[in-house]
């Protein structure tokens, strides 16, 4: 008899487990809590889940041939998601293949139930059958029972209705979206499975989601993961280039986004122990490019002037048409955008910041690779975008890493330098908020001057932190022999990278203020949104000159407001019209074409400008 | 070299024609104007297109195996639609396989253009591209150009929009239905192909259609054909039984209706030299069963008390979902019904009769196998149905045939009997209107008495017309040696069949009058609708007691009002709401359960009751 299980030895931890025959190596490892990097969600598309079979390597898959070198395959390397375990095996999981818990921002969604008004509901009905005295059609029975004069159903539901009615003895559960019938089930299922909805923030780097009960507004779970499109480039432009190369590519990059969202949905549902089939509504906010790439609407004309998107208004679509694996009649609401580079995520932020409700102008900044800035009050709202580059995400920085376990996220200097890492793990690099914190500390202690140049004479106690190599001056934050996983430092070039990023944001803020005709001192509030904004210290942002000078109380961190805004539109139907109105009403100000842009940008790279 | 054409010899006419190799025998014969019976439109489903190959018989098709006996196949019989001509052949076309021009009623559609308000249109646009100063999305460009604030488009259109815009140099033609974008084409196509719509009357026996220009309301063509579902029974009940036997059968009978409608659409388009792709809108009226069988909504519970349809309200569907081969985004409006046996065709009739606009109650009768009767005025409208049976269609009558060329459609008796036939062709049988005319003549000359019994002593000159055989008494209308194709006569049983049919209608009328609380003399107008009604003489109907006694001016023939009503909803959107309102407002009166029904029915079979 063939055996039903095999034994798997996991190295280097020497963990021996028993798993069913035929399972994938990725799934087998996950049962032992070894979680692998998997940008594509285990579809053999990203090549990130490399492991090495020391014994019992299966035949290479087509994905192995694509992603691995011939000699690697000979050495037993395989992509774990595509490797089927039919025999006992020993697998070495390299350090770089293991995922570090990532700081994907999902914690900022309002956790308290809010009064929901989603338009979706499930209703249980016990109906009296038609009679000769009361010759109603089957559909009339439903219509009268739910008291919706113009109840609508599609043909597929009408086809199954008569049998469902009679099999269930006229006891049905209806799923409804306003006047539209979304589903009919026999018996009382409303008690088991309520009408669920998901809000999705589709970011360039990460996808975050929150699952709600659509009737009570109760938050059921949150989840986040990397956007699998990352395999085709970390930035927007390389993804657009890839997608625009052929209809096949456009389809692929759309499918990757859908796969990522579906994976987030699976996680949301697993955490809440519910089925994805119960999800009747999804709202999605992303930047204009992400929304285009996901929906397969060509982003070809976005990168070049006049930066034309296919659509800016909100879209109400079938979730299934967009590749989402939830209830077959689920609805998808896609956020309206303001322009090619101020997208649905900014509009979602705006629903949270509510600038239109304040009497004095306020400023909202979403800090990221692309910074979005909105300024205004009441009926006058203006917006622009600033290409900050990847420094805030820890990229293009010598020791930069993503905000993950082991990343330095804050730096302080008294006499000596001390660092703090995410998860208090041994330092493995520095992330965006650590960079900002370091710059702030450097400025306070004179380690850099107003132009950003290192001053090696600042503090005597820091003398030995400076070093010089072929690339120029550098400053050591923590050495390998001080408990870090390796030497971690900042170079003069890193400081310049930061200055380019903060200069872009600060210049955009100044130009918007100029356009609006007010001084920074006239601002009421400064809202800081976005994943990066959430992890920074407001004082650091002020000192580094990222935001205009302000009292601490004026600065409001609204965290991952895009997800919160998406949740608002999920749970409260009127917010959808409000989002569209805000998007249409906010004027996009194009900075690139302005004659004063270059001067103000150069000036904004300096410190002490605000 | 292989030859490209073959020679076909058609028998018995000895017509020799040359046709392309590979053509079907059906298509080849049609080039010689030999038109075959084809209930299924040439799909090998009905078995009606039997021909006999005397030479060059092709291999039998799977359809031949299904419909023909083994010895027939050996004798060269084949179904013409499935027989491919690869070699010279000689084909004998039996008389019974040839179609007689059928009197399908399509002539009564209002031929003059009416003011259209269909909601559909095509618009040609020359758009200014977006610029840095005017950063609109591609979709915004359209939205502003057509001045529709909430213009909606599906994802597929958004996907192709950016390329179409740029390839066409921003010159597009849009197809619209209210705020919905149905299509985008490059360049100016509105001039060539206007927005078209089709109205369909889906009858149990025949399908009739009319094609219109949706903007001007101009009638382009009309067409009609047999309902291919006829292969599963001429009557409603046998079709429901067939459809209810399995989901496969239900699908098949739905596909047959769709095939029939598609064939009518092809004829409509061929006659107007347009493409079916230009049809953006279809409205369809049929009896409740026909609408159910076409849409594949189970009719299983219609035949038995309490006679429950799946739906009664109007449906707005995607035409493609219902299997119609027209524009992929075309809309289908299906008429609302009043009850299981008073369907959308009656509601369409009501749009033409406009009972609700008259001050005094009027009566509307649609005479057919199932008679529908509506009575009322203003806000009070009541309706019922009467199972008249097939006598009015010439079935179950000894010499009865459909209303086709050669059918006796009127009979007059002065001293002698004289008959008139459709198309003035040699008489081959008697159709429903001929039967009514004969009964009227018999009553006037005393050939039958008030109970319907033959009186052989009525007129001396008619003495030799009577004959007796094992089935009882009969009356000879015309003999083979008097120029007919065969002896054509009516039997005592035929008279009884007619009495059953007219009794059902007359009883229903009387019971409705009783329910409404008025006498027949209080009626304002009597509207007669339906194919049968169109060919009868009002005096015959009065004399035979089919309708209440009335002045000739009170009787209005509204012809194929179902097709005219469907055309109204096609061309004037507000008529759709009106149809729904009339359907919901009209009370269905169930006669079967009434204690007085049997008495009134028995009485109504007599002559002279009104
Ligand atoms: S997870 Fe294996 S290739 Fe992406
Ligand atoms: S036309 Fe040939 S089988 Fe129907």
């Amino acid at each position: 008899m063939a055996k039903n299980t095999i034994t798997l030895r996991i190295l280097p931890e020497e963990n021996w487990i028993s798993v069913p025959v035929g399972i994938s190596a990725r799934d087998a490892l996950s049962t032992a809590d070894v979680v692998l990097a998997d940008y594509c969600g285990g579809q053999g598309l990203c090549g990130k889940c490399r492991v090495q079979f020391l014994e019992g390597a299966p035949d290479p898959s087509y994905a192995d041939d694509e992603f691995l070198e011939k000699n690697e395959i000979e050495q037993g390397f395989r992509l774990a998601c595509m490797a089927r375990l039919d025999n006992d095996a020993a697998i070495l999981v390299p350090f770089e293949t293991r995922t570090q818990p990532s700081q994907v921002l999902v914690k900022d969604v309002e956790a308290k139930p809010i009064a929901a008004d989603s338009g979706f509901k499930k209703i249980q009905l016990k109906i009296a059958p038609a009679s000769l005295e009361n010759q109603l059609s089957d559909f009339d029975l439903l219509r009268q029972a739910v008291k919706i004069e113009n109840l609508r159903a599609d043909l597929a539901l009408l086809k199954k209705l008569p049998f469902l009615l009679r099999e269930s003895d006229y006891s049905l559960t209806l799923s409804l979206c306003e006047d539209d019938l979304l589903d009919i089930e026999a018996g009382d299922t409303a008690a088991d499975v309520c009408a669920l909805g998901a809000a999705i923030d589709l970011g360039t780097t990460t996808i975050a989601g929150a699952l709600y009960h659509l009737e009570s507004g109760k938050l059921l779970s949150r989840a986040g993961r990397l956007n699998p499109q990352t395999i085709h480039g970390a930035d927007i432009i390389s993804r657009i280039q890839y997608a625009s190369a052929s209809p096949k590519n456009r389809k692929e990059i759309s499918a990757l986004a859908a796969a990522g969202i579906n994976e987030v949905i699976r996680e949301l549902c697993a955490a809440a122990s519910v089925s994805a089939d119960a999800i009747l509504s999804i709202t999605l906010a992303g930047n204009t490019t992400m929304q285009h790439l996901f929906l397969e609407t060509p982003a070809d004309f976005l990168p070049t002037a006049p930066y034309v998107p296919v659509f800016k208004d909100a879209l109400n679509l079938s979730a299934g048409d967009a590749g989402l694996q939830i209830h077959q009649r689920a609805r998808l609401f896609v956020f309206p955008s303001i322009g090619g580079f101020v997208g649905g995520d900014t509009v979602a932020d705006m629903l949270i910041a509510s600038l239109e409700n304040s009497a004095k102008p306020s400023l909202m900044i979403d800090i990221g690779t692309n910074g979005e800035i909105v300024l205004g009050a009441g009926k006058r709202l203006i917006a622009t975008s600033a290409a900050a580059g990847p420094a805030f995400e820890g990229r293009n920085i010598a020791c930069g890493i993503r905000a993950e376990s082991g990343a330095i996220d804050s730096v302080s200097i008294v006499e000596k330098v001390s660092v703090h890492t995410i998860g208090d793990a041994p330092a493995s690099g520095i992330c965006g908020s650590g960079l900002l914190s370091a710059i702030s500390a450097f400025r306070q202690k004179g380690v850099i001057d107003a132009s950003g140049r290192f001053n090696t004479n600042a503090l005597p106690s820091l003398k030995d932190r400076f070093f010089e190599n072929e690339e120029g001056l550098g400053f050591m934050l923590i050495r390998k022999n001080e408990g870090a996983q390796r030497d971690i430092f900042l170079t003069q070039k890193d400081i310049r990278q930061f200055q380019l990023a903060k200069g872009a944001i600060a210049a955009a803020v100044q130009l918007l203020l100029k356009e609006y005709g007010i001084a920074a001192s006239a601002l009421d509030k400064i809202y800081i949104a976005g994943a990066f904004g959430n992890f920074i210290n407001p004082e650091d942002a002020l000192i580094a000159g990222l935001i205009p000078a302000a009292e601490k109380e004026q600065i409001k961190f609204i965290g991952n407001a895009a997800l919160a805004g998406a949740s608002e539109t999920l749970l409260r139907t009127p917010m959808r019209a409000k989002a569209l109105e805000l998007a249409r009403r906010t004027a996009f100000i194009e900075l690139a074409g302005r004659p004063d842009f270059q001067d103000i940008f150069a000036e904004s790279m300096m410190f002490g400008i605000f």
Side-chain angles (χ1 to χ4, degrees), chain A:
Chain A
M1 247 184 71
K3 30 179 224 164
N4 293 324
T5 59
I6 55 141
T7 302
L8 178 65
R9 178 177 159 213
I10 306 171
L11 296 153
E13 47 263 76
E14 285 294 354
N15 189 356
W16 297 67
I17 59 172
S18 174
V19 290
V21 167
I23 193 173
S24 79
R26 174 175 180 254
D27 290 344
L29 289 165
S30 81
T31 67
D33 289 329
V34 178
V35 182
L36 307 184
D38 62 340
Y39 290 71
C40 73
Q43 301 183 80
L45 291 172
C46 71
K48 295 294 177 198
C49 59
R50 281 165 53 118
V51 297
Q52 188 177 12
F53 280 79
L54 303 184
E55 286 163 28
D59 290 340
S61 68
Y62 70 94
D64 292 330
D65 293 336
E66 188 163 328
F67 286 103
L68 304 174
E69 301 295 327
K70 211 165 160 245
N71 64 335
E72 291 180 312
I73 291 178
E74 278 160 13
Q75 289 162 29
F77 281 99
R78 298 286 183 275
L79 295 182
C81 68
M82 291 287 122
R84 202 182 123 100
L85 303 183
D86 285 327
N87 300 297
D88 293 346
I91 297 179
L92 173 67
V93 185
F95 181 76
E96 62 279 9
T97 299
R98 296 171 189 249
T99 47
Q100 316 305 319
S102 132
Q103 229 175 340
V104 170
L105 195 73
V106 292
K107 67 175 182 193
D108 298 278
V109 174
E110 191 80 355
K112 66 171 175 351
I114 63 173
D117 167 21
S118 70
F120 289 83
K121 60 186 169 198
K122 285 181 98 166
I123 292 180
Q124 209 284 320
L125 298 173
K126 183 84 190 87
I127 306 169
S131 63
L132 267 183
E133 292 67 46
N134 196 20
Q135 285 188 339
L136 294 170
S137 72
D138 287 340
F139 191 67
D140 286 337
L141 290 180
L142 296 198
R143 194 163 61 84
Q144 297 197 354
V146 297
K147 299 190 182 63
I148 298 178
E149 173 80 358
N150 292 309
L151 185 68
R152 282 184 297 261
D154 68 14
L155 211 40
L157 287 176
L158 289 178
K159 286 179 189 176
K160 70 179 188 175
L161 171 61
F163 302 115
L164 274 176
L165 264 178
R166 288 160 183 85
E167 282 158 17
S168 71
D169 201 17
Y170 293 81
S171 165
L172 296 179
T173 301
L174 307 188
S175 298
L176 291 159
C177 167
E178 310 283 359
D179 288 357
D180 286 326
L181 194 56
L182 299 185
D183 212 350
I184 313 172
E185 292 161 296
D188 184 357
T189 68
D192 309 335
V193 186
C194 37
L196 303 181
I200 300 286
D201 167 23
L202 177 62
T204 308
T205 309
T206 59
I207 303 174
L211 184 70
Y212 291 90
H213 187 305
L214 285 176
E215 290 179 66
S216 71
K218 188 174 161 220
L219 175 69
L220 301 180
S221 58
R222 289 176 294 217
R225 55 170 288 126
L226 287 174
N227 185 335
Q229 288 178 338
T230 310
I231 57 170
H232 293 301
D235 61 305
I236 279 178
I237 296 301
S238 46
R239 291 195 213 160
I240 293 180
Q241 275 166 354
Y242 183 82
S244 304
S246 72
K248 184 178 150 283
N249 283 13
R250 188 177 301 121
K251 205 173 216 78
E252 180 197 337
I253 216 149
S254 162
L256 281 170
I261 298 170
N262 283 327
E263 186 63 35
V264 168
I265 290 170
R266 265 190 293 278
E267 287 171 32
L268 289 170
C269 291
S273 301
V274 294
S275 153
D277 278 344
I279 300 182
L280 300 177
S281 176
I282 289 231
T283 58
L284 180 139
N287 62 54
T288 309
T289 301
M290 284 307 111
Q291 294 190 164
H292 276 59
L293 293 181
F294 165 49
L295 295 176
E296 217 185 314
T297 48
D300 302 39
F301 308 102
L302 267 176
T304 49
Y307 317 109
V308 180
V310 178
F311 65 96
K312 291 201 298 194
D313 279 354
L315 298 178
N316 289 290
L317 303 170
S318 141
D321 284 354
L324 301 184
Q325 289 153 6
I326 51 177
H327 188 283
Q328 60 163 323
R329 283 184 195 80
R331 306 296 173 85
L332 167 65
F333 172 80
V334 178
F335 261 75
S337 335
I338 293 166
F341 294 100
V342 184
D345 47 358
T346 306
V347 177
D349 288 344
M350 290 173 72
L351 286 181
I352 303 304
S354 298
L355 303 184
E356 75 283 4
N357 290 339
S358 63
K360 277 176 66 188
S362 290
L363 187 68
M364 184 185 87
I365 312 181
D366 190 322
I367 304 170
T369 310
N370 187 63
E372 291 98 9
I373 301 133
V374 184
L375 170 64
K379 290 234 171 288
R380 185 166 176 222
L381 296 165
I382 60 176
T384 195
S385 71
F392 295 139
E393 289 180 355
R395 288 185 297 119
N396 282 11
I397 301 296
C399 298
I401 58 173
R402 282 194 297 127
E404 61 191 19
S405 176
I408 295 174
D409 62 351
S410 111
V411 174
S412 59
I413 304 179
V414 184
E415 275 299 299
K416 295 190 161 181
V417 183
S418 51
V419 302
H420 174 264
T421 63
I422 296 174
D424 291 316
S428 57
I430 185 164
C431 68
S433 52
L435 178 62
L436 178 70
S437 173
I439 300 280
S440 163
F442 288 173
R443 280 293 295 149
Q444 284 172 285
K445 300 297 173 189
V447 175
I448 54 175
D449 64 18
S451 74
R453 205 167 316 127
F454 274 131
N455 172 13
T456 51
N457 301 320
L459 263 185
S461 63
L462 299 178
K463 206 85 194 167
D464 67 330
R465 293 275 141 189
F466 285 100
F467 64 88
E468 193 160 6
N469 62 15
E470 60 272 27
E471 297 205 350
L473 269 179
F475 184 93
M476 187 61 66
L477 294 169
I478 183 169
R479 294 196 182 84
K480 188 160 182 189
N481 62 19
E482 291 167 334
Q485 293 188 39
R486 53 166 174 152
D487 290 352
I488 298 167
F489 51 84
L490 290 175
T491 66
Q492 186 67 63
K493 203 173 133 259
D494 294 340
I495 310 291
R496 293 284 175 235
Q497 287 293 323
F498 174 83
Q499 287 179 279
L500 283 170
K502 85 107 186 173
I505 303 278
V509 168
Q510 287 186 78
L511 283 161
L512 270 200
L513 287 166
K514 204 170 155 189
E515 178 78 25
Y516 207 86
I518 55 168
S521 57
L523 287 174
D524 182 11
K525 299 260 181 339
I526 299 175
Y527 296 97
I528 299 186
F532 176 70
N534 205 62
F535 299 113
I536 65 176
N537 178 326
E539 267 172 64
D540 290 343
L542 287 168
I543 293 165
L546 186 60
I547 57 173
E551 298 301 318
K552 236 178 135 177
E553 309 78 57
Q554 287 176 272
I555 302 174
K556 302 278 173 205
F557 288 92
I558 54 174
N560 190 354
L563 186 54
S567 300
E568 282 285 288
T569 54
L570 181 73
L571 298 174
R572 303 203 230 160
T573 314
M575 296 303 269
R576 300 185 178 197
K578 186 171 176 193
L580 180 57
E581 195 215 321
L582 285 177
R584 284 192 180 179
R585 191 207 286 173
T586 305
F588 177 76
I589 309 295
E590 177 65 50
L591 299 186
R594 290 177 64 119
D596 50 356
F597 179 72
Q598 283 307 330
D599 282 354
I600 294 188
F601 177 48
E603 192 181 287
S604 299
M605 284 174 59
M606 302 296 115
F607 292 101
I609 51 133
F610 280 121

